[in-house]
Amino acid sequence: MTHPIRAEHPPARLARRIGAGAAITALALGGTVITAAAPAAADDSLFGPNVTIFDETWSVVDINAALQAASHEEEFSLNRHQFFFKPGTYGSAAGQDDPLTATGIINSELGYYQSVSGLGASPEDVRINGAIHVEPVRACEPNPWDCQQPGSLTRFWRSMSNLTFNPIQQPVGIDADRPFPSGITSPHEMRFAVSQAAPLRRINIEGSLTVFGRVGEYASGGYLANSNVDGTVVTGSQQQWFTRNSTVGTWDGGVWNMVFSGVDGAPAHDFGPIEGGGTGNKTVVDETPINRESPFLYLDGDDYKVFVPKAKADTRGHDWSTDASAGDSIAIDDFFIAKEGATAAELNAALASGKHLLITPGVYELDAPLHVDRADTVVLGLGYASLVPTAGTAAIEVGDVAGVKIAGLTVDAGLENSDVLVQVGPRGASVADATDPTTLTDVFIRVGGPWAGKATTSIEVNSPNTLLDHIWAWRADHGDGVAWDANTGDHGVIVNGDDVTALGLFVEHYQKNQVIWNGDGGRTIFYQSEIPYDPPTQAAYMDGDRLGFASYRVGDGVTSHLAQGLGVYSFFDQTINGGQDIRVESGIQTPKSKDVRFESMTSVFLNGTGGINRIVNDAGEPAVGSFASPQLVSYPPADTTAPTVEVEVAGAQANGWYRGATLTATATDDFTPPPAVEVRIGSGDWAAYSAPIALPDGDLAVEVRATDDSGNVASTDWSGKVDGTAPVVVATVDDEAGTVALDATDALSGVASLEYALWSTEVGDDADWQAYTEPVELQPGARVVSFRATDAAGNVSAIDSDGAPNPNEPSLGIDVSGDLEVGDEVELTGSDVPAGEYTVVFRSDPVEVAQAEVGVDGALTVAFTVPQVDAGEHTIELVGSDGSVVASLGVTVAATAASAGSGSGAAGGLASTGFEGAFAALGALALLVAGGVTLVIRRRAARA
């Protein structure tokens, strides 16, 4: 069997706008023009011109004419239509056993943007004898077998709900005149051959339902919920179909991915290899974990109300009850009824005032997003009402509230790029109610098609516990403005909130991951996705170093997730990529974890080049060429392999000992989350390991084990000796003997050396370390002993010191008895002087006369010349390097007499020489005074 592609869809044309409230011109069975009566004025004023409400006063001919007139919209028309049937019976059942001869039946095809619903509280309140049906595109005349596509591949955007059908179907319009009409079915059978965005809800079919064309044309549907089909559902060429919370008689057919959740009468689960050969395509989930049916408009007597079903957990079968236990009825007066042309400001004002929104059919251009900030607000669209952001904003932003219900809306990306089109909760949203989840029902997104729309992300879900029920996010693969660099969009759906559930998730053709799921506790039942057709090259379609973008991407940090019934399809259009071999590494990319699970997955090669290398991560066969459709029943496989664990100990070593040690454990596993690592030292308790640990001292035996999330255990061990503690040194001072005795101990590796150094009075930086062998004798000039010990591991004790003061004060002496004279050569000696470097200063006024160095023996010997100073008492000071005076000695400098010729005395000489001698004496005195003045100046200069 050949399978569909969408490369050959013709370009769409924008249809002209028409007013549904005016007279409706329709094509009858044989092409005759029929004019139908306009709807009642009261209904027109309440719901606007695009809503038609039938009651039993309408003739069958007029009803058929109205339905058929609206069924001819083009694929990207801007017209929208909602038809309602009030409670009652419509059409005749007389010809039910022979449909081709039946008369007086309700009979019409259902077209684009056409929604037909009952206004009863139950589907059984509106009974239609006849059929409202969908037929495939008839591409080949007169032999439809020759053209299996597009078939039903483009039968989007149409729906029916809350109706009972006694199926009696006939061909309509030009189809009725064909030699082989498409619209013929078996008796008691109705055809609904659709693809995406074409749901059936609350439908009761008293017969059978076929969902593919008469000659097996391709179809890519579809969705059936809260419905009952008494007979057989025949799926035939449908690629995939999702049925939720319904009751069926029997089920027949299907191609790749038929999924049932909470369905009474569902076929047996057979996905994967079948015993005896072949493969099955059906995935059955016994109960739907959580669901909320769509809100709907109904009549309570003459009053319009909206019934909002409650969310329910763990359900199966259909449920049409509308009592208080099943949900809430909201009076129409509590709604703002929006009609085409309403602005964002008007809609937001209504929301801010506490109103719900009922958005009637039409296209609404919004220059700002709709702000839904009140819990439990209902926003209900009719007839594929479409929201178009025109200023690069979102169309809808839901606040951090719970219980919002949004249903029946289409959102078209505008020409200016929107970061997000529908945002459920602000980023970081936390408000949630698991029993009253915010719910999106039948919300359909388009990026491109009517025009070159642009949106980075179509739907972003930040609120926890959100429920997505039938979503189609579609980056257009055909239509106006469709190209890789025209209708741009990265992602269809991003889920950041925890505990979000998706029931029926269709996401297609985005340029990166179609879905990114970052929240924990997510659940998806049924996923259908075609990756983009139009990457021009492989280089343009790379996720870093990874070939292409996985369609369904679960974030690396996710710890729990379950997805069931997934199909990812590949068609890289060779007319765009020039025949290049473009690949996607895998259709699904996910952490490999026992609590992140996938069931019933398939990858399919539809046509074109390249394909999908793996189904999920590195598992599954390629879907490359020849309509390959490999399956994978479940992922991941059972985890029976223990993790790996390694230990590294780091630290300086000496003589077989670690001088302090740090243990680092590393554990890896092919599953996530990472293994839990524990450490046990010796016979101690196991302790959780999270970061490198400092090992204690001792001769150690260390065990390390790693346990993965499935309970598999791996272990390793390490042994070694650790001494990270320095030796202890004790000093004992014997004041009487003038000695310092040292003793060093080390409890682990032992003392390797003990050293000391002598200091004068305090410890310096540059020690002359000597090995200690016996008590250290204190010297007159060295009264402090520093000491340290080193153990075998290389630990060195902190330098400590001890000692005793010298019982003798330092003393000075000179080798001259009596007075000193200027110019005398003098030898200065000293004893008990602390070792060190000194300056010899002669003062009253200080004059440095010598430098001296004293050793540990405390002895000083230094020569100096008596400087030119005044006669009288002076002090010789020994000044240390820190400026302190260590010792001093008082001396007297005698006056110096001047000699004149050969005279024997100054006075005598002067007396005996007369005037000549007097002048000579005066001259000498002048020189002496001059010399004295010079000395004073020099001393002052020195002081300065």
Side-chain angles (χ1 to χ4, degrees):
M1 177 179 183
T2 57
H3 295 288
I5 65 173
R6 294 183 181 164
E8 300 174 10
H9 299 332
R13 292 182 291 110
L14 292 180
R16 63 184 179 86
R17 308 299 299 272
I18 65 173
I24 302 172
T25 301
L27 291 175
L29 298 181
T32 304
V33 176
I34 301 173
T35 300
D43 294 331
D44 180 73
S45 63
L46 183 60
F47 298 114
N50 299 327
V51 175
T52 301
I53 298 178
F54 301 128
D55 61 24
E56 290 179 301
T57 66
W58 283 64
S59 69
V60 168
V61 171
D62 287 345
I63 291 173
N64 286 339
L67 291 173
Q68 291 169 28
S71 70
H72 299 293
E73 298 291 356
E74 296 290 339
E75 183 177 3
F76 296 109
S77 167
L78 299 182
N79 299 315
R80 304 289 184 266
H81 307 282
Q82 174 71 58
F83 293 90
F84 285 113
F85 284 87
K86 289 185 177 181
T89 299
Y90 298 84
S92 170
Q96 61 184 357
D97 294 328
D98 187 6
L100 292 181
T101 64
T103 58
I105 62 172
I106 301 297
N107 189 51
S108 174
E109 291 191 23
L110 187 71
Y112 287 107
Y113 316 110
Q114 186 176 12
S115 190
V116 180
S117 305
L119 285 171
S122 164
E124 296 173 309
D125 293 339
V126 176
R127 179 180 181 82
I128 294 178
N129 292 304
I132 302 174
H133 47 102
V134 180
E135 307 298 334
V137 174
R138 186 73 169 250
C140 290
E141 296 285 5
N143 298 314
W145 301 272
D146 296 339
C147 297
Q148 296 292 296
Q149 64 181 24
S152 291
L153 292 178
T154 57
R155 291 312 201 202
F156 311 135
W157 304 303
R158 62 200 74 200
S159 67
M160 293 196 296
S161 63
N162 206 27
L163 300 167
T164 290
F165 284 95
N166 173 27
I168 310 169
Q169 178 173 322
Q170 293 175 347
V172 175
I174 60 173
D175 187 42
D177 296 331
R178 288 169 173 149
F180 191 88
S182 295
I184 291 178
T185 64
S186 300
H188 307 287
E189 183 179 69
M190 184 172 75
R191 177 172 292 111
F192 200 71
V194 297
S195 287
Q196 290 83 357
L200 291 173
R201 290 183 179 273
R202 292 175 65 87
I203 292 294
N204 181 36
I205 297 179
E206 297 174 343
S208 295
L209 177 70
T210 180
V211 294
F212 74 111
R214 185 180 180 191
V215 296
E217 296 96 329
Y218 299 153
S220 181
Y223 184 88
L224 175 69
N226 199 24
S227 296
N228 174 72
V229 180
D230 288 341
T232 300
V233 179
V234 185
T235 54
S237 61
Q238 278 286 353
Q239 297 175 2
Q240 66 278 318
W241 190 278
F242 181 45
T243 305
R244 179 187 63 71
N245 288 90
S246 294
T247 303
V248 299
T250 57
W251 191 276
D252 179 58
V255 179
W256 293 312
N257 188 30
M258 319 307 288
V259 179
F260 307 82
S261 179
V263 177
D264 284 332
H269 179 103
D270 67 356
F271 190 92
I274 296 175
E275 186 176 351
T279 58
N281 58 19
K282 292 178 282 296
T283 299
V284 179
V285 179
D286 187 59
E287 292 183 334
T288 302
I290 185 167
N291 73 288
R292 185 205 297 276
E293 301 302 339
S294 179
F296 61 92
L297 184 70
Y298 77 105
L299 276 170
D300 183 3
D302 293 329
D303 298 325
Y304 285 101
K305 295 182 178 179
V306 172
F307 186 76
V308 183
K310 293 181 178 178
K312 299 179 292 183
D314 304 324
T315 56
R316 61 179 294 120
H318 66 280
D319 182 0
W320 299 331
S321 59
T322 53
D323 58 26
S325 66
D328 300 310
S329 287
I330 303 176
I332 198 67
D333 290 343
D334 291 333
F335 282 81
F336 176 81
I337 301 176
K339 301 179 181 66
E340 192 168 23
T343 65
E346 291 171 328
L347 297 174
N348 280 323
L351 288 168
S353 72
K355 290 282 191 179
H356 304 284
L357 292 185
L358 185 70
I359 304 179
T360 65
V363 177
Y364 296 78
E365 295 184 346
L366 304 177
D367 59 3
L370 302 185
H371 295 288
V372 185
D373 294 326
R374 181 173 59 90
D376 296 312
T377 297
V378 177
V379 180
L380 176 60
L382 303 179
Y384 289 86
S386 299
L387 309 180
V388 183
T390 60
T393 67
I396 301 175
E397 292 180 350
V398 180
D400 195 5
V401 296
V404 173
K405 296 89 180 172
I406 299 173
L409 289 175
T410 297
V411 177
D412 277 301
L415 295 174
E416 185 176 343
N417 185 74
S418 294
D419 181 53
V420 178
L421 290 174
V422 177
Q423 186 180 59
V424 183
R427 290 166 188 174
S430 60
V431 176
D433 185 347
T435 65
D436 184 23
T438 289
T439 305
L440 272 61
T441 305
D442 297 338
V443 174
F444 309 129
I445 310 293
R446 299 191 300 195
V447 180
W451 47 73
K454 298 175 177 64
T456 303
T457 298
S458 289
I459 299 176
E460 179 180 283
V461 180
N462 299 310
S463 294
N465 294 104
T466 298
L467 174 60
L468 305 177
D469 183 25
H470 192 210
I471 303 296
W472 187 33
W474 184 64
R475 175 180 168 264
D477 60 271
H478 61 280
D480 284 352
V482 172
W484 186 252
D485 58 357
N487 61 320
T488 53
D490 287 352
H491 310 292
V493 177
I494 294 179
V495 177
N496 296 319
D498 291 341
D499 303 309
V500 172
T501 299
L503 306 172
L505 188 58
F506 301 73
V507 189
E508 300 189 282
H509 309 309
Y510 289 85
Q511 292 170 299
K512 295 183 179 179
N513 301 113
Q514 310 299 303
V515 170
I516 298 177
W517 205 297
N518 294 317
D520 273 321
R523 181 80 183 268
T524 295
I525 301 176
F526 183 89
Y527 178 71
Q528 182 268 329
S529 177
E530 289 181 355
I531 51 184
Y533 297 169
D534 56 340
T537 62
Q538 182 72 73
Y541 193 56
M542 292 287 291
D543 186 2
D545 295 332
R546 194 181 202 295
L547 292 174
F549 288 84
S551 172
Y552 194 101
R553 175 73 164 98
V554 179
D556 292 337
V558 172
T559 60
S560 60
H561 189 86
L562 175 60
Q564 298 163 290
L566 300 93
V568 179
Y569 307 92
S570 160
F571 166 48
F572 292 117
D573 190 342
Q574 64 270 29
T575 67
I576 295 173
N577 64 44
Q580 296 179 66
D581 184 16
I582 298 179
R583 299 294 180 100
V584 171
E585 190 57 39
S586 65
I588 303 166
Q589 184 180 354
T590 177
K592 191 175 182 182
S593 167
K594 73 178 184 64
D595 293 323
V596 179
R597 298 185 292 122
F598 290 80
E599 298 174 0
S600 301
M601 299 152 280
T602 185
S603 294
V604 179
F605 175 88
L606 295 174
N607 209 327
T609 65
I612 304 172
N613 288 345
R614 293 287 184 266
I615 294 174
V616 52
N617 292 356
D618 58 356
E621 294 300 313
V624 177
S626 192
F627 293 102
S629 55
Q631 295 178 320
L632 193 62
V633 172
S634 64
Y635 184 89
D639 182 8
T640 59
T641 303
T644 60
V645 59
E646 296 179 350
V647 168
E648 180 180 353
V649 175
Q653 299 181 61
N655 301 311
W657 288 84
Y658 281 89
R659 186 167 61 255
T662 300
L663 180 143
T664 300
T666 304
T668 59
D669 193 65
D670 58 344
F671 278 69
T672 61
V677 179
E678 298 170 287
V679 176
R680 179 168 68 181
I681 300 174
S683 60
D685 295 332
W686 286 100
Y689 172 91
S690 59
I693 58 175
L695 292 174
D697 288 352
D699 192 348
L700 304 178
V702 180
E703 297 175 87
V704 179
R705 69 184 180 191
T707 306
D708 67 23
D709 204 36
S710 297
N712 302 301
V713 180
S715 62
T716 188
D717 55 40
W718 176 87
S719 60
K721 297 185 292 184
V722 179
D723 180 2
T725 304
V728 176
V729 182
V730 176
T732 304
V733 179
D734 186 337
D735 291 335
E736 185 175 343
T739 60
V740 178
L742 303 176
D743 181 52
T745 58
D746 188 85
L748 293 169
S749 60
V751 176
S753 66
L754 177 59
E755 299 171 290
Y756 75 95
L758 281 171
W759 302 95
S760 58
T761 57
E762 59 184 34
V763 177
D765 294 328
D766 299 322
D768 180 16
W769 292 104
Q770 302 178 55
Y772 176 85
T773 56
E774 58 184 1
V776 179
E777 184 176 351
L778 298 177
Q779 301 296 316
R783 308 301 297 180
V784 176
V785 177
S786 293
F787 44 85
R788 68 183 184 187
T790 305
D791 63 18
N795 300 296
V796 180
S797 66
I799 296 174
D800 203 352
S801 59
D802 209 341
N806 194 332
N808 302 315
E809 292 293 332
S811 62
L812 298 177
I814 57 176
D815 63 347
V816 176
S817 59
D819 295 344
L820 301 180
E821 294 184 359
V822 173
D824 285 349
E825 293 292 328
V826 179
E827 182 178 80
L828 178 68
T829 60
S831 61
D832 295 302
V833 177
E837 294 181 349
Y838 295 93
T839 299
V840 179
V841 177
F842 203 98
R843 64 170 79 223
S844 296
D845 291 333
V847 178
E848 295 181 3
V849 295
Q851 301 291 323
E853 184 173 355
V854 178
V856 297
D857 60 359
L860 169 70
T861 302
V862 62
F864 69 92
T865 301
V866 176
Q868 186 75 42
V869 296
D870 294 339
E873 301 294 328
H874 293 271
T875 302
I876 300 173
E877 295 177 343
L878 189 64
V879 180
S881 58
D882 61 354
S884 63
V885 178
V886 174
S888 62
L889 176 67
V891 296
T892 301
V893 177
T896 302
S899 69
S902 60
S904 60
L910 180 61
S912 63
T913 58
F915 264 112
E916 292 181 1
F919 277 111
L922 287 172
L925 179 58
L927 289 173
L928 178 60
V929 171
V933 171
T934 301
L935 177 61
V936 170
I937 292 173
R938 287 178 180 168
R939 285 180 178 172
R940 287 179 179 171
R943 284 180 181 175

